[in-house]
Amino acid sequence: MEPFELVHEQYSQMIHKIIHTLRIYKNHHDYYQTGLIALWEAYMKFEPSKGTFTSFAYSYIRGRILSELKREVQVEERGVALEEGATEAGGDDLDTLSVEILLSYCENLTANQKKWVIAHSLHMLSISEIADMEGVSPEAVKKWRKGAKERIRQAILNQTFV
């Protein structure tokens, strides 16, 4: 087999393409490093009798990056107790105030509607990402969104200003 430096040069664009197709826009460099480590592991584990290196490397890199994405979502879920009004460690008072204001509008929402508000407003997740995370259909999440918007709109309209 050829030296890894040559493999790295050949497959560098593949790593970038995988990151782009997964629509990763934050921490691009970190995911590139994850992809590069996965490329090295694929290089070390590849057995020519089982197929081409290109397809093996692609699936190995993509799988590793997806695993890293999933791991980061789990860390965020465990690290943030949003329903209790807490923010991520190191957040400033403005973040805490913003979360508290947002959660004050969620008092009359169902649990699923709160999940949508928190995931969408604080974590900037799309409907499909929330559906995947919760193990439900995107249509269910759309219903949560519709109900939450209606209830929050009513709460704002019913509020009396001094």
Side-chain angles (χ1 to χ4, degrees), residues 28-160:
H28 188 272
H29 183 73
D30 293 339
Y31 285 103
Y32 180 81
Q33 289 300 319
T34 299
L36 191 57
I37 291 168
L39 177 64
W40 180 78
E41 290 174 351
Y43 173 78
M44 298 302 288
K45 293 180 179 183
F46 177 66
E47 295 179 27
S49 63
K50 293 189 176 183
T52 66
F53 180 72
T54 302
S55 60
F56 180 72
Y58 181 86
S59 60
Y60 202 92
I61 293 166
R62 187 173 189 278
R64 181 59 56 90
I65 291 174
L66 284 171
S67 294
E68 183 65 19
L69 279 169
K70 183 177 179 181
R71 187 191 65 76
E72 284 193 17
V73 167
Q74 290 172 344
V75 166
E76 282 183 22
E77 286 175 352
R78 286 188 211 128
V80 181
L82 293 173
E83 291 188 2
E84 297 173 3
T87 60
E88 293 178 350
D92 58 9
D93 292 339
L94 181 61
D95 290 338
T96 303
L97 180 60
S98 299
V99 171
E100 287 179 14
I101 290 170
L102 179 66
L103 292 176
S104 72
Y105 287 108
C106 295
E107 291 175 356
N108 295 325
L109 302 181
T110 67
N112 288 333
Q113 290 170 346
K114 284 182 188 179
K115 287 178 190 177
W116 175 79
V117 170
I118 291 167
H120 177 73
S121 301
L122 298 178
H123 298 294
M124 305 304 172
L125 297 177
S126 69
I127 289 174
S128 59
E129 291 170 328
I130 297 168
D132 289 342
M133 187 173 72
E134 294 297 324
V136 297
S137 70
E139 289 74 26
V141 178
K142 288 178 184 178
K143 287 179 184 177
W144 301 349
R145 175 185 65 184
K146 182 179 178 183
K149 283 182 172 183
E150 288 174 3
R151 287 186 179 189
I152 290 172
R153 190 175 295 119
Q154 280 304 113
I156 291 172
L157 291 174
N158 293 336
Q159 207 173 34
T160 56

